[in-house]
Amino acid sequence: MVNAEPKEDTSPHTCVVGVDYGTLSGRAVVVRVADGAELAAVEHPYTHAVLDRELPDGTPLRPDWALQVPADYIDVLRIAVPEALARAGVRPEQVIGIGTDFTACTVLPVLADGTPLCELPGLAGRPHAYVKLWRHHAAQAQADRITALAAERKEPWLARYGGKISSEWEFAKALQLLEEDPELYALTDRWIEAADWIVWRLSGSYLRNACTAGYKGQFQDGAYPSREYSAALNPGFADFVTAKLEHPIGQLGDLAGGLTAEAAAWTGLPEGIAVCVGNVDAHVTAPAATAVEPGRMVAIMGTSTCHVMSSDQWAEVPGMCGVVDGGILPGLWGYEAGQSGVGDIFGWFVRTGFPASYAEEAAALGRDAHEHLTALAAGQRVGEHGLIALDWQSGNRSVLVDHDLSGVVVGLTLSTRPEDVYRALLEATAFGTRTIIEAFEAAGVPVEELIIAGGLTKNALLMQIYADVTRKPLGVIDSAQGPALGAAMHAAVAAGAYPDIRAAAQAMGKARPAVYLPDPERAAAYDRLYAEYRLLHDYFGRSANEVMHRLRRIRAEVSA
């Protein structure tokens, strides 16, 4: 490990850099250590965005694939970090550390030196050589087998994940690699989270971060699933853990190493400054939103939503993504749940359901499509549109853990307008969040407040709908770059500016409590609609009607 001595410095001029790797772009933020002031933020879109139809060379992809190009991540360091420093007017020598966060589970196969397989000669046309983004859902069949075998063998770790393992996670995606491209599986030396790969590139040190290992890699009580279990899944998978996955675990906020000369040249930062252990975009946001005590659930709302919360008690919550000791904050159980599609659903509707006449009207009023539909929908009373939707266009992460489910809109008539459907989709995502909250509370884990982070906080109608639907006061993080701020705060801890993340949160975190309060009349009206949502939710999602799965199979057969 590269040695980097932490520096105890919280002067007004000392800064850290946080880099947030999202689904479509990376964002670099320069943050003042003393008070968390964000001095500059720069976003850099990934050149290749998400590969869900074809590879860069034109090789077609099957349905439910979502890949990325790892070189795009390095470009964020080369472009966004130096520009953020320049905009902030911060000299490189003022920066004492850099922290990163990533979408998860986003994984890639690499050689022993960290080289991604997609960068090797002759492999640019092989889909399994690329990064599998978190929303790569083509490993559902493998996830189903992983869950079924764990239940049959009564594996104790299964309860920590609400009884189901997701197709988004490490084991399912790796098993898909083995079974669909065994040659590339054999060539893979490390099956690595992008969160850890980028830290490796920055520091020269490969540590698996405790967050992704626990939530996405089924690492519980100091161990991964056994060799016997993996062999029962597939004999060729027997040594997956020991040969490709297992590695020293770095705790959140720990020092991974010092910035390498190569990474210093990319970023313009001083060689040797602290590089923090990697983290997940949602989990790293909790302390940035000052959610360091039990009962405060943070919903990080973007293309998807991740719900994270810490508690002093352990419970088995059906359909949760995981509960990990210290997974968010030391000394507390960290819970995760989520919705696979939120902003993605709204974006899909705007791309496919926004007519030319509406576009002309929006342009005349100086609005974008989302602003225009929101303004039109805001004038409606609860239930006026006569619709109920299921928010499963990207499957269901919690509480059903089934990515073969799909979206539904009930109540369409010839008089239904685009703003009606748009509002119904906004409400559907709020109903999905209420379903998650009710699962936690039914399991004995109280949710007292909902704090919202992410780009969707700017939609006041959406925020008020969430308050009314959930009947919870909604706080809002006072930062447009919550994950990057959280990553920077962890970097401050790694650099020795604060003794732990709680102290950093007290000084650097920012959130406004109870910005939106539930309206009793609207909440009562939403209770009636939510009851209808739950009927549809259980009818299509709990095997009463398997039509969604049958349609998936038909599509897969035709696509093949």
Side-chain angles (χ1 to χ4, degrees):
M1 179 181 293
V2 178
N3 184 32
E5 290 295 325
K7 305 172 183 178
E8 295 185 4
D9 188 351
T10 56
S11 73
H13 305 295
T14 303
C15 295
V16 282
V17 172
V19 183
D20 167 40
Y21 284 95
T23 299
L24 297 173
S25 63
R27 290 158 291 276
V29 179
V30 180
V31 179
R32 195 161 56 207
V33 172
D35 58 3
E38 296 167 37
L39 306 180
V42 173
E43 180 176 11
H44 178 70
Y46 303 143
T47 301
H48 300 90
V50 178
L51 308 176
D52 54 9
R53 294 186 179 274
E54 62 182 24
L55 297 181
D57 70 350
T59 300
L61 296 172
R62 298 191 300 275
D64 299 321
W65 280 65
L67 308 178
Q68 289 193 315
V69 176
D72 290 349
Y73 306 147
I74 301 298
D75 285 346
V76 174
L77 300 176
R78 297 179 189 272
I79 297 168
V81 173
E83 186 174 341
L85 288 173
R87 289 189 188 181
V90 168
R91 301 185 308 277
E93 60 268 25
Q94 292 176 242
V95 180
I96 61 172
I98 182 170
T100 57
D101 69 82
F102 237 102
T103 62
C105 169
T106 295
V107 284
L108 65 156
V110 300
L111 299 181
D113 64 356
T115 302
L117 297 195
C118 62
E119 296 180 1
L120 298 179
L123 298 186
R126 302 275 282 274
H128 280 290
Y130 287 79
V131 177
K132 287 186 171 68
L133 183 62
W134 65 268
R135 65 178 177 88
H136 174 90
H137 293 149
Q140 186 64 49
Q142 285 79 11
D144 291 343
R145 286 166 45 211
I146 288 169
T147 297
L149 180 64
E152 176 187 325
R153 291 169 54 95
K154 295 181 172 56
E155 295 286 346
W157 45 262
L158 186 61
R160 299 278 180 93
Y161 302 98
K164 281 191 175 182
I165 300 302
S166 172
S167 65
E168 296 181 358
W169 297 352
E170 291 176 7
F171 272 65
K173 288 173 173 172
L175 187 58
Q176 185 196 15
L177 168 61
L178 167 66
E179 295 178 342
E180 295 183 4
D181 198 335
E183 181 183 3
L184 288 190
Y185 180 84
L187 190 61
T188 300
D189 291 317
R190 298 289 182 202
W191 184 243
I192 183 171
E193 287 276 354
D196 299 324
W197 182 78
I198 202 68
V199 169
W200 191 358
R201 296 305 306 267
L202 284 167
S203 69
S205 302
Y206 173 31
L207 291 172
R208 296 211 71 211
N209 73 85
C211 189
T212 54
Y215 290 102
K216 315 301 179 183
Q218 293 147 248
F219 184 80
Q220 293 284 353
D221 300 324
Y224 293 98
S226 68
R227 177 184 178 88
E228 292 73 24
Y229 169 81
S230 296
L233 284 170
N234 185 311
F237 206 54
D239 65 348
F240 168 63
V241 168
T242 54
K244 303 182 189 298
L245 188 66
E246 200 168 44
H247 214 74
I249 303 291
Q251 298 303 311
L252 307 182
D254 278 1
L255 181 69
L259 194 70
T260 66
E262 179 183 43
W266 293 339
T267 59
L269 295 172
E271 181 180 354
I273 64 168
V275 178
C276 186
V277 166
N279 210 324
V280 177
D281 53 357
H283 304 69
V284 79
T285 305
T290 68
V292 294
E293 303 299 333
R296 307 186 77 193
M297 176 178 280
V298 181
I300 300 87
M301 297 178 62
T303 54
S304 65
T305 293
C306 192
H307 306 76
V308 295
M309 188 175 72
S310 294
S311 178
D312 53 5
Q313 52 191 301
W314 179 87
E316 185 177 328
V317 182
M320 65 182 170
C321 298
V323 53
V324 176
D325 188 6
I328 302 171
L329 294 160
L332 294 174
W333 290 98
Y335 289 86
E336 178 193 347
Q339 294 164 268
S340 295
V342 179
D344 267 356
I345 296 176
F346 312 149
W348 159 80
F349 181 74
V350 163
R351 291 193 306 274
T352 60
F354 194 64
S357 60
Y358 274 61
E360 292 169 4
E361 185 179 338
L365 294 169
R367 299 169 177 166
D368 66 25
H370 291 283
E371 290 169 341
H372 190 55
L373 289 172
T374 297
L376 294 173
Q380 297 182 1
R381 297 184 302 276
V382 176
E384 181 179 334
H385 51 53
L387 304 175
I388 287 287
L390 292 177
D391 51 318
W392 299 346
Q393 281 83 344
S394 194
N396 181 284
R397 184 184 296 163
S398 299
V399 295
L400 299 172
V401 199
D402 186 347
H403 293 289
D404 281 347
L405 296 173
S406 48
V408 169
V409 180
V410 173
L412 294 170
T413 72
L414 293 177
S415 62
T416 299
R417 301 163 300 175
E419 60 266 33
D420 299 334
V421 179
Y422 190 76
R423 178 163 180 145
L425 294 174
L426 299 183
E427 292 166 344
T429 66
F431 294 148
T433 287
R434 177 168 169 175
T435 303
I436 289 168
I437 291 172
E438 288 184 351
F440 273 82
E441 294 186 329
V445 183
V447 179
E448 296 166 5
E449 181 186 9
L450 195 56
I451 304 172
I452 309 296
L456 296 182
T457 57
K458 62 187 177 184
N459 188 320
L461 172 63
L462 181 65
M463 296 298 98
Q464 188 60 55
I465 288 172
Y466 270 64
D468 293 337
V469 167
T470 63
R471 291 180 175 267
K472 302 289 182 186
L474 251 66
V476 177
I477 189 172
D478 200 15
S479 168
Q481 304 292 344
L485 173 60
M489 289 164 55
H490 281 79
V493 175
Y498 292 101
D500 55 42
I501 193 60
R502 284 186 176 86
Q506 184 175 3
M508 300 175 71
K510 34 180 105 165
R512 289 172 288 140
V515 175
Y516 298 91
L517 298 174
D519 175 83
E521 184 178 342
R522 289 194 299 265
Y526 273 127
D527 285 345
R528 294 176 62 193
L529 294 180
Y530 178 66
E532 300 297 336
Y533 173 91
R534 286 306 301 263
L535 285 173
L536 288 176
H537 176 282
D538 293 348
Y539 179 68
F540 287 111
R542 299 193 186 276
S543 302
N545 189 328
E546 291 285 337
V547 61
M548 293 179 181
H549 295 104
R550 291 195 296 270
L551 290 174
R552 284 275 177 156
R553 287 194 291 271
I554 291 170
R555 187 182 73 169
E557 291 166 6
V558 173
S559 298

